[in-house]
Amino acid sequence: MQTLLFKYAFLVSILLTIVSCSNDDTQTVAQFTELVMQDEFDADGVPDDSIWTYNIGTDTNGWGNNELQYYTDRSDNVKVENGVLVITAKEESFNGSPYTSARLLTKGLFEQAYGRFEARIQLPYGQGIWPAFWLLGADKQEEWPQIGEIDIMEYRGQEPTKISGSVHGPGYSAAEAITKTYTLPNDRFDTGFHIFGIEWAPDYINFYVDNVLYNQITPGDVTGEWVFDQPFYILLNVAVGGSFVGSPNNETMFPQSMLVDYVRVYKNDNLN
């Protein structure tokens, strides 16, 4: 009898580990524990150029989203200070744009398929402020959305208790992205640091805030081709305005900064 009870308890414990924290859907959970890339932002000054490069300018139509900022690599907009990466959006006239900010990326420097990607971040606040921690496919032969996009954390500054996690691909991009929102209980994302991450395997992507698994997206959830089977690179940015958040208003205070305590990437030898 004791043996049967032990077996039953063991089976229950296994089942509990694969159930989402936010719903009743059974979900696969993996553990990626081998650290393969990290930036702890311990050295003041410019970000590590062996890891990070920059997008500069406005690209086409405000990076395709009607954004209002001009991205720079100036210390006014991006620097490492007191152990954190600081990305700052400013209200200023610069090269024809009314705002400046920064967008960092690891394209050509660090790219990986599968694993755990996470960052510990304190977010800014205000109408029209649009920070993000996300991934883009590194396939140079294809264009967006065929290359794929994984939004680990996307946030409207006017909704300080909510973030969203999404995937974009052919047939499910922009407003048709596969997405889910997470609401922080009894707190705001602009008042402290939180860990945003994904665990990504060939047949699913899990989305986390701190230790909460709030969504899983699988090939069966998307309405087109599953394109998340190739290396992706990391992006960190703070946009101003655009189709996702709208423009700043008279109550939006500048400057606004996103603080990044660290970025870490892990792999599983069985997958990477």
Side-chain angles (χ1 to χ4, degrees):
M1 183 66 171
Q2 288 180 337
T3 300
L4 288 174
L5 288 173
F6 174 80
K7 289 181 177 179
Y8 175 77
F10 180 71
L11 288 171
V12 169
S13 69
I14 291 175
L15 288 172
L16 287 175
T17 64
I18 61 173
V19 175
S20 164
C21 297
S22 61
N23 56 49
D24 294 329
D25 295 336
T26 300
Q27 299 183 338
T28 305
V29 176
Q31 296 296 322
F32 299 89
T33 57
E34 184 180 345
L35 187 62
V36 292
M37 189 280 272
Q38 67 183 122
D39 196 339
E40 304 294 327
F41 304 111
D42 290 333
D44 285 1
V46 298
D48 185 344
D49 62 9
S50 71
I51 300 175
W52 303 104
T53 185
Y54 307 89
N55 284 140
I56 303 295
T58 60
D59 200 58
T60 303
N61 188 28
W63 301 97
N65 301 300
N66 299 305
E67 298 165 31
L68 302 175
Q69 80 290 330
Y70 191 103
Y71 283 136
T72 86
D73 59 358
R74 305 177 306 160
S75 60
D76 284 354
N77 298 116
V78 56
K79 61 185 174 182
V80 178
E81 186 175 56
N82 299 322
V84 296
L85 172 69
V86 184
I87 301 176
T88 300
K90 300 183 68 177
E91 184 176 19
E92 60 177 335
S93 179
F94 190 88
N95 287 352
S97 297
Y99 304 93
T100 60
S101 189
R103 181 154 95 177
L104 287 74
L105 58 161
T106 66
K107 185 176 183 178
L109 299 172
F110 177 81
E111 299 164 354
Q112 178 173 293
Y114 313 132
R116 179 175 176 89
F117 294 72
E118 70 174 33
R120 185 171 182 263
I121 302 173
Q122 180 172 323
L123 296 174
Y125 168 73
Q127 166 68 42
I129 305 300
W130 182 4
F133 167 42
W134 50 304
L135 310 178
L136 278 175
D139 188 347
K140 298 178 177 60
Q141 306 304 314
E142 299 288 353
E143 300 291 334
W144 189 89
Q146 186 67 39
I147 58 172
E149 174 181 330
I150 304 171
D151 298 324
I152 301 173
M153 179 282 300
E154 197 169 23
Y155 166 89
R156 292 181 173 96
Q158 59 264 42
E159 296 179 331
T161 65
K162 299 178 181 180
I163 62 96
S164 59
S166 312
V167 297
H168 302 252
Y172 50 99
S173 61
E176 303 301 320
I178 309 302
T179 187
K180 188 170 184 179
T181 297
Y182 174 82
T183 300
L184 187 66
N186 305 313
D187 205 349
R188 296 162 53 120
F189 285 110
D190 62 319
T191 60
F193 285 89
H194 294 273
I195 299 172
F196 305 99
I198 59 165
E199 289 197 344
W200 168 24
D203 55 352
Y204 64 88
I205 304 170
N206 285 341
F207 290 79
Y208 292 86
V209 174
D210 298 321
N211 62 348
V212 178
L213 168 60
Y214 72 93
N215 193 23
Q216 179 172 92
I217 297 175
T218 71
D221 296 319
V222 304
T223 54
E225 180 186 357
W226 180 261
V227 292
F228 308 101
D229 54 2
Q230 57 165 317
F232 278 56
Y233 58 89
I234 301 169
L235 301 96
L236 288 162
N237 69 286
V238 179
V240 180
S243 53
F244 184 65
V245 293
S247 297
N249 60 21
N250 292 334
E251 296 180 358
T252 308
M253 298 181 63
F254 287 93
Q256 287 289 331
S257 295
M258 178 167 75
L259 309 180
V260 185
D261 182 34
Y262 64 73
V263 176
R264 298 172 184 166
V265 181
Y266 301 80
K267 74 171 185 176
N268 183 319
D269 285 335
N270 293 328
L271 295 175
N272 295 100

